[in-house]
Amino acid sequence: MAEHEYYEVNGRQIRVRPTESGQEIDEYGNFHRQPNHFTKGFGEGENPVEADRYILFWGKGCNWSNRASIARELLGLDKAIKVEIVDWGDYEKPLGWEFVNSPNHINKETGAQFLSELYYNADDDYEGRTTVPALVDYKEKKVVNNDYHKLTNYFEVDFKPFHKKNAPDLYPEELRNEIDEMNYWLFDNINNGVYKTTFCRSKEAYWDAYNSFYAAMDLLEERLENRRFLFGDYVTDSDVRLYVTLARLDIRYTHQLGHTKHPLFTYKNLWAYARDLYQTPGFWDTTDFAAIKKHYHIDCNPGNIHQIIAKGPDEEAWLLPHGREKL
């Protein structure tokens, strides 16, 4: 294993994350997102289910972590699981997510300045990208779970003793198999679909991802014609996962997709559905359009040397009546 590289920040030696390579691209140019590393669950024999032990780190621009923050809000886990929003710092070296919202950029629970420090505390040999969401055990000062596929499910099931009174059942037992199937489909075609067009390295891979994304959008538009949410008249885990992509579609993802076949507002049902969710507490208060634009136009776009951020969306449009309550 190569010797680790360190960078001095305010007198502290911070380990630099490895330079990103083409390891997420297969021989045909298709993009395959890196697997989650910390996937251990919660409960007996695993990470203990306790209040005042964990903190959720998430980034406002990141759809993968936004859904964990939404689930935490909807379920009322704010008294059991702390939260801190991370962002990119101003350093040239690839130091990753920083605790820019903490005093002096030092997270008080762990003493760390960068999320990567808590990744390496958990596994000194970790070589992947340090991603959000990350659930950190601040008693142990280490990441215990970064599995965005299942983290919301852990909040919904394992942390149920800490749900607020009358919390919504986002993952009802009788629908779990169907929700799991929907979530897998959403990930492949919608959530990760936009990234498969962005990071692919062949024309064939691009058009395959592009066509799959818009075909999936058409199917969702049809599904939502006669039902308020994906599984009927109440919000489930799948709605949370679809929403975070829709909220970013016209701001940034249409740029990544290339030729914009259909902006969100051209879909009658999906656009009304997205507004319905946005106007629900737990969704609107974790959706920051300005932060999302900054993340994609500046933080993730070093070629934007003049730091130009496109105008929009018209946030007032997200508050227009949606008419979905009749369903």
Side-chain angles (χ1 to χ4, degrees):
M1 182 175 295
E3 184 177 348
H4 300 315
E5 180 183 357
Y6 291 84
Y7 184 60
E8 185 172 319
V9 179
N10 298 325
R12 304 171 73 237
Q13 293 295 314
I14 305 298
R15 181 171 153 187
V16 177
R17 62 184 173 88
T19 302
E20 293 180 23
S21 66
Q23 62 183 351
E24 293 178 89
I25 306 296
D26 68 18
E27 60 183 309
Y28 303 106
N30 298 292
F31 170 70
H32 301 277
R33 186 170 294 277
Q34 73 173 24
N36 297 312
H37 187 72
F38 300 100
T39 58
K40 188 176 180 181
F42 298 83
E44 187 174 351
E46 300 189 297
N47 298 305
V49 177
E50 298 177 5
D52 300 321
R53 187 179 187 108
Y54 301 107
I55 181 167
L56 171 67
F57 292 109
W58 73 284
K60 289 182 176 181
C62 172
N63 88 84
W64 312 107
S65 61
N66 191 182
R67 62 200 202 184
S69 71
I70 291 172
R72 175 183 173 273
E73 291 292 323
L74 292 175
L75 298 170
L77 287 172
D78 52 294
K79 292 182 173 59
I81 299 174
K82 296 184 179 182
V83 71
E84 182 168 339
I85 297 168
V86 298
D87 206 339
W88 295 104
D90 298 323
Y91 301 97
E92 294 181 2
K93 293 286 185 177
L95 299 176
W97 297 104
E98 186 179 2
F99 303 129
V100 297
N101 296 303
S102 289
N104 300 315
H105 296 193
I106 302 296
N107 172 253
K108 67 178 182 180
E109 286 84 7
T110 63
Q113 182 173 350
F114 297 91
L115 181 61
S116 59
E117 298 176 66
L118 305 175
Y119 267 78
Y120 302 136
N121 284 351
D123 183 356
D124 189 57
D125 293 328
Y126 183 73
E127 293 290 337
R129 291 181 287 108
T130 53
T131 58
V132 288
L135 196 68
V136 167
D137 181 333
Y138 53 82
K139 291 185 178 180
E140 299 289 337
K141 296 179 172 54
K142 65 180 183 179
V143 172
V144 296
N145 192 281
N146 73 336
D147 188 359
Y148 55 82
H149 288 300
K150 293 188 176 180
L151 186 55
T152 56
N153 298 145
Y154 294 138
F155 286 176
E156 292 152 358
V157 178
D158 298 309
F159 283 84
K160 193 167 186 176
F162 301 107
H163 289 186
K164 67 182 179 182
K165 184 178 180 180
N166 298 321
D169 189 354
L170 300 176
Y171 196 46
E173 191 167 359
E174 67 275 12
L175 288 176
R176 286 179 190 174
N177 288 339
E178 293 179 64
I179 290 174
D180 290 343
E181 289 177 6
M182 172 63 76
N183 289 350
Y184 179 84
W185 182 85
L186 286 172
F187 171 80
D188 193 41
N189 294 283
I190 297 293
N191 303 135
N192 199 43
V194 290
Y195 294 99
K196 289 196 291 186
T197 64
T198 304
F199 299 126
C200 65
R201 294 293 182 269
S202 73
K203 289 186 293 185
E204 293 78 9
Y206 170 80
W207 285 113
D208 182 61
Y210 179 93
N211 291 328
S212 294
F213 175 81
Y214 281 112
M217 289 287 284
D218 289 341
L219 289 173
L220 290 167
E221 175 73 0
E222 181 180 355
R223 183 183 181 97
L224 292 167
E225 176 70 35
N226 296 309
R227 63 182 83 192
R228 185 171 182 179
F229 303 111
L230 289 175
F231 285 95
D233 59 357
Y234 54 89
V235 173
T236 66
D237 186 84
S238 297
D239 295 295
V240 174
R241 298 183 187 218
L242 175 56
Y243 167 82
V244 293
T245 295
L246 297 182
R248 291 159 176 75
L249 184 58
D250 289 355
I251 297 179
R252 181 58 186 175
Y253 289 155
T254 51
H255 298 265
Q256 295 178 208
L257 286 162
H259 168 67
T260 304
K261 188 174 182 180
H262 290 299
L264 177 60
F265 65 84
T266 65
Y267 292 95
K268 173 188 172 184
N269 300 323
L270 279 164
W271 173 220
Y273 163 85
R275 299 200 311 275
D276 189 2
L277 290 173
Y278 175 76
Q279 294 170 29
T280 302
F283 288 88
W284 65 264
D285 44 351
T286 59
T287 302
D288 186 330
F289 290 121
I292 292 170
K293 288 193 294 182
K294 172 184 175 294
H295 176 70
Y296 287 107
H297 287 278
I298 295 179
D299 299 337
C300 297
N301 187 11
N304 184 5
I305 60 174
H306 299 294
Q307 298 195 336
I308 297 170
I309 298 179
K311 289 186 176 182
D314 179 2
E315 294 186 35
E316 294 298 319
W318 282 79
L319 297 175
L320 292 173
H322 51 75
R324 303 280 299 173
E325 63 277 355
K326 65 185 178 183
L327 298 175

